[in-house]
């Protein structure tokens, strides 16, 4: 969906693989279809339903012989059950991958910040799945979404990655100020923007959902 | 084939696209199969023929509805005619893409250096295709291939990108010392290693065959 996030997923999947030569790496097929209707607009503004487009990708990956599906777009997980019903393949869930990464980074529970698209936050994808694991999720305020997070995501989608750092880092810093012990970058455009600047200054563990999903795929494949 | 080069191709294809939102980007499918038998070993040491593997990828991309094929592996172009015979889709040729990039960078003819795998150089993929366009190709000496270029490529395939800079930059510098007005990085692992270090110090235009092929694909799609 976000094609830069999709390409970055492939890059990170490769770099996170213990490998000494080509043949040690995982075979993988990337179905990058940026024509999928905007997921947030579909959920919040009555835009075109993305599910038929998502299921076209699933069918293409199944036909190509894949054994598991990873979807490096958080908002698309709002249609997770619809996709799952359309395939016999397992689909990794990006929120579960983020939860595993929180645990890996030593954040076992308590208050965490979640950044994401307006669609992801409105669907409560993180809140519902993480609250059962002992996390209390806080999210940016409506004004912060409009001034910082949504514009930051749009800049990445327009290839203006360096410019996306400032608004996204500001939103993460405000979540930290409200007590977040970690911030989940719950839209795969967000790590691209945050990592383009001095992100260590934010001063709180950042959960990169691209890396988290790649690690989850490598675990599935027995590479880690 | 080289999975890091394949992922980087997707990243560069995206970043080189004039786009303001997801839907402005090209739909693309990456068939990344690092199990394809080593192309250089096949050509020089009687290793397993990669053509059936390559044609499996071509068939998969055709079945998925692609309109054109780009192969971000130079050595695989030694089997270009065999792949072309197996599909009705056009296949962009990476050496033609490199030639277009030489022209774009103002190198209109004369002596150029070509770095690549031992297989690519032995098959004379660049020499034969570029000499007709007025270029005189020089390549690293056998000892430089063994000490610098082949180890540099292997380091990238093993994800040791930063370590690949020194040997690859040294090989490029030596081609410049022998009169090359530009150096074609004619193996898609090489730009990954060279760009990981202070490559401007090499002091000669470097032709990144990943970017060249991405630009060629974008031209085909009418995006440039």
């Amino acid at each position: 969906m976000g094609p830069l996030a999709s390409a970055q997923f492939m890059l990170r999947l490769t770099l996170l693989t213990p490998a000494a030569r080509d043949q040690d790496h995982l075979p993988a097929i990337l179905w990058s279809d940026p024509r999928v209707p905007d997921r947030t607009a579909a959920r919040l503004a009555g835009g075109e339903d993305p599910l038929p487009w998502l299921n076209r990708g699933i069918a293409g990956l199944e036909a190509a012989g894949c054994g598991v599906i990873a979807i490096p777009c958080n908002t698309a997980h709002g249609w997770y059950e619809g996709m799952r019903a359309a395939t016999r393949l397992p689909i990794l869930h990006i929120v579960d991958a983020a939860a595993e990464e929180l645990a890996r980074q030593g954040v076992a529970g308590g208050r965490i910040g979640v950044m994401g698209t307006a669609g992801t936050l409105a669907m409560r994808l993180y809140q519902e799945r993480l609250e059962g694991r002992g996390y209390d999720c806080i999210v940016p305020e409506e004004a912060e979404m409009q001034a910082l997070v949504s514009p930051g995501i749009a800049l990445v989608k327009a290839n203006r990655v360096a410019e996306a750092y400032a608004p996204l880092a500001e939103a993460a810093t405000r979540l930290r100020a409200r007590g977040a012990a970690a911030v989940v970058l719950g839209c795969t455009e967000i790590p691209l923007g945050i990592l383009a600047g001095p992100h260590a200054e934010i001063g709180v563990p950042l959960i990169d959902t691209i890396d988290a999903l790649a690690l989850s795929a490598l675990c599935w494949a027995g590479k880690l």
Side-chain angles (χ1 to χ4, degrees), chain A:
Chain A
M1 273 122 311
L4 198 61
S6 299
Q8 177 76 1
F9 175 79
M10 297 301 286
L11 205 65
R12 296 299 296 162
L13 182 73
T14 306
L15 287 170
L16 292 167
T17 303
R21 55 190 191 123
D22 281 357
Q23 290 74 19
D24 294 338
H25 286 274
L26 280 185
I29 294 167
L30 172 64
W31 187 283
S32 179
D33 193 345
R35 297 168 303 181
V36 175
D38 187 87
R39 283 69 65 201
T40 292
R43 190 57 70 175
L44 300 183
E48 186 187 349
D49 183 5
L51 186 60
W53 290 81
L54 295 169
N55 280 342
R56 196 170 311 157
I58 301 274
L61 293 171
E62 190 169 327
C66 294
V68 68
I69 290 175
I71 305 169
C73 170
N74 285 269
T75 317
H77 286 72
W79 289 265
Y80 183 79
E81 291 306 330
M83 292 187 282
R84 216 160 64 133
T87 180
R88 55 175 183 76
L89 297 181
I91 306 180
L92 304 175
H93 199 297
I94 201 164
V95 179
D96 293 340
E100 287 153 21
E101 185 62 19
L102 278 165
R104 214 180 274 124
Q105 294 205 22
V107 183
R111 177 171 290 188
I112 59 163
V114 178
M115 291 168 65
T117 63
T120 291
L121 301 186
M123 290 188 282
R124 298 182 54 79
L125 293 179
Y126 275 86
Q127 295 90 323
E128 292 191 355
R129 218 155 169 117
L130 290 192
E131 282 168 8
R133 293 183 185 236
Y135 295 101
D136 167 30
C137 297
I138 61 170
V139 302
E141 292 168 1
E142 180 59 32
E144 292 168 336
M145 286 299 296
Q146 289 186 20
L148 301 171
V149 181
S150 300
I153 293 169
L155 284 166
V156 173
K157 288 181 181 289
N159 288 337
R160 294 166 61 185
V161 172
E163 293 164 76
Y165 174 75
L168 294 172
E170 174 64 22
T173 301
R174 293 192 190 184
L175 288 168
R176 179 197 170 200
R178 291 209 285 279
V183 174
V184 176
L185 310 178
C187 162
T188 50
E189 271 74 35
I190 297 176
L192 287 157
I194 292 256
L195 298 179
H199 53 91
E201 292 176 2
I202 301 169
V204 72
L206 301 172
I207 304 301
D208 179 340
T209 51
I210 294 179
D211 274 23
L213 189 63
L215 290 170
S216 183
L218 290 168
C219 286
W220 180 90
K223 290 279 180 186
L224 294 180

